[in-house]
Amino acid sequence: MANTKITSRVIADDAVTTAAIADDAITSATIADNAVGVTALAVSDGSDGQFLKTNGSGTLSFADVASAFADLTNVTVATSDPALNTNPSTGVGTLWLNKNTGNIWCCTDATSNANYWTNIGKGDSDVGFSATGGNSTVTSGGYKYHVFTASGNLVVTGSKAAQALIIAGGGGGGGTGSNGGGGGGAGGVVLGSAITLTAQTYSITVGAGGATGTTGSDGGNSSFPGETVAVGGGGGGTNPSAGRSGGSGGGGGRDSGTSSGGAGTSGQGNAGGGAGGTSCASGGGGGGAGQVGQQGGTDCGSFTAGMSDGGDGTSTYSAWGAATSTGVNESGTYYYAGGGGGAYESYAAAGQAVGGLGGGGRGASGYTNPHAGTNGTANTGSGGGAGQHRAGITNDGGTGGTGIVIVRYAV
């Protein structure tokens, strides 16, 4: 009988190549167990328990298998949860297992001392803090600021101590269409100094500026949930009526008497200035967050510069303004919430009553040196300047500046 077996002695070395073997011609069923040993591979034998791996370029080698979850280089197994300041050396993607609770987290933000750990285990509680919202955000001087120049939401995950600067809208100037009004009062200024942000959505209101008119309209309130509401600035009075009360009070209208300034809200602002008297007397300036509005003068020849000026705003929060480029920069110091200037006939051609530092509008002046009142600066909570109508010449007043809310926390 003929020999039907082909042995290795019959086949020359390297005579059978991969090109000579059809795809799938050799299966595991045609190769006996342990027929191909390590000696047949281009690799040195490893040690007990190792596995064979490739580097993807044709080189084989043996390597160790992790004997436990904790042996992985980017995993920590502990009896506690991760924290904001865990600061894993392996950064984003690091896993943390609390073996007592079975919870596991993955680090998704490795910012130093502000880590964020997303729960990927049985729980639903992340570890860390994040907040979104505001018309702009900026990080400066160890704080992150969320700036709201219009109403909106602050969406928070986690918990963190924070502060909120809350400034209401400024009052509108009075006297538009009448013979002399008072300046609008600044919006109230409130600091929420001990806020604990928690996981929720905070609805933030930014007050509008008050419109100018015969009597100026009050500014809108600004608010942050759980904190004292910042009261809108009082509208300026008209001839011969008192200014309106508000965060800071509006100035009294022409000829309304020296005590006609509107009242300010305690802890938020100051009173408006009264008129210079009850006859031939210019309107008072609106109150500012840092100073009362100035009393008007007797402008039939005795008006002097400084009378009817709006009260200055506050520079207490200059660091906030510098960090966020908000407020009004006066030689490197930032002010908010100045009062609007009152109006006068300007027989003495003294120019316009100026608004208070922080964005208060200028008051109108009359027919001998006519100028319209100007608006309070937007997002400062400042009052609008007063209007003036005399001898057929109308100089309108200004609207109050819109408010602002700024939230900050340490980073």
Side-chain angles (χ1 to χ4, degrees):
M1 172 179 266
N3 186 358
T4 59
K5 294 184 179 181
I6 300 175
T7 65
S8 59
R9 290 184 301 170
V10 178
I11 302 173
D13 291 342
D14 301 323
V16 179
T17 64
T18 55
I21 302 174
D23 292 342
D24 302 322
I26 300 177
T27 65
S28 59
T30 61
I31 302 175
D33 292 344
N34 300 317
V36 179
V38 172
T39 56
L41 302 175
V43 62
S44 298
D45 196 4
S47 57
D48 183 33
Q50 290 189 312
F51 69 97
L52 185 64
K53 70 174 186 177
T54 177
N55 67 354
S57 300
T59 300
L60 301 175
S61 63
F62 284 93
D64 291 324
V65 179
S67 60
F69 190 65
D71 289 339
L72 299 175
T73 58
N74 63 340
V75 172
T76 297
V77 177
T79 57
S80 61
D81 297 345
L84 290 170
N85 60 352
T86 295
N87 301 330
S89 60
T90 47
V92 171
T94 300
L95 300 179
W96 184 288
L97 171 66
N98 184 330
K99 65 181 182 180
N100 285 348
T101 64
N103 267 320
I104 187 169
W105 293 263
C106 178
C107 181
T108 53
D109 184 345
T111 301
S112 180
N113 296 325
N115 306 164
Y116 195 89
W117 297 83
T118 301
N119 194 307
I120 59 175
K122 69 173 186 178
D124 58 5
S125 58
D126 293 348
V127 175
F129 174 84
S130 68
T132 59
N135 300 94
S136 63
T137 58
V138 62
T139 300
S140 176
Y143 291 95
K144 184 171 183 178
Y145 296 82
H146 294 255
V147 180
F148 290 83
T149 55
S151 299
N153 293 328
L154 181 70
V155 181
V156 173
T157 300
S159 177
K160 200 171 188 68
Q163 297 176 312
L165 177 61
I166 310 164
I167 301 177
T176 291
S178 70
N179 186 15
V189 178
V190 171
L191 177 68
S193 60
I195 298 170
T196 299
L197 296 174
T198 57
Q200 60 180 293
T201 296
Y202 293 87
S203 179
I204 293 171
T205 300
V206 175
T212 185
T214 304
T215 297
S217 297
D218 299 340
N221 297 343
S222 292
S223 63
F224 184 94
E227 299 302 310
T228 301
V229 173
V231 178
T238 190
N239 182 354
S241 300
R244 294 179 59 80
S245 61
S248 284
R254 181 178 177 82
D255 294 345
S256 60
T258 57
S259 299
S260 59
T265 300
S266 178
Q268 297 193 22
N270 291 284
T278 57
S279 177
C280 211
S282 59
Q291 183 186 42
V292 298
Q294 300 303 297
Q295 182 175 305
T298 304
D299 63 5
C300 296
S302 63
F303 186 91
T304 58
M307 293 180 176
S308 300
D309 286 354
D312 287 340
T314 178
S315 61
T316 301
Y317 308 103
S318 181
W320 296 59
T324 59
S325 298
T326 59
V328 176
N329 184 357
E330 299 285 349
S331 301
T333 300
Y334 289 77
Y335 290 81
Y336 296 93
Y344 55 87
E345 289 187 355
S346 190
Y347 284 106
Q352 291 177 272
V354 299
L357 296 176
R362 285 179 172 269
S365 55
Y367 59 91
T368 61
N369 187 22
H371 294 281
T374 62
N375 299 333
T377 302
N379 298 122
T380 65
S382 295
Q388 170 75 41
H389 174 82
R390 183 72 167 86
I393 299 174
T394 298
N395 296 296
D396 291 341
T399 61
T402 48
I404 192 170
V405 175
I406 305 174
V407 181
R408 78 174 188 179
Y409 46 83
V411 292

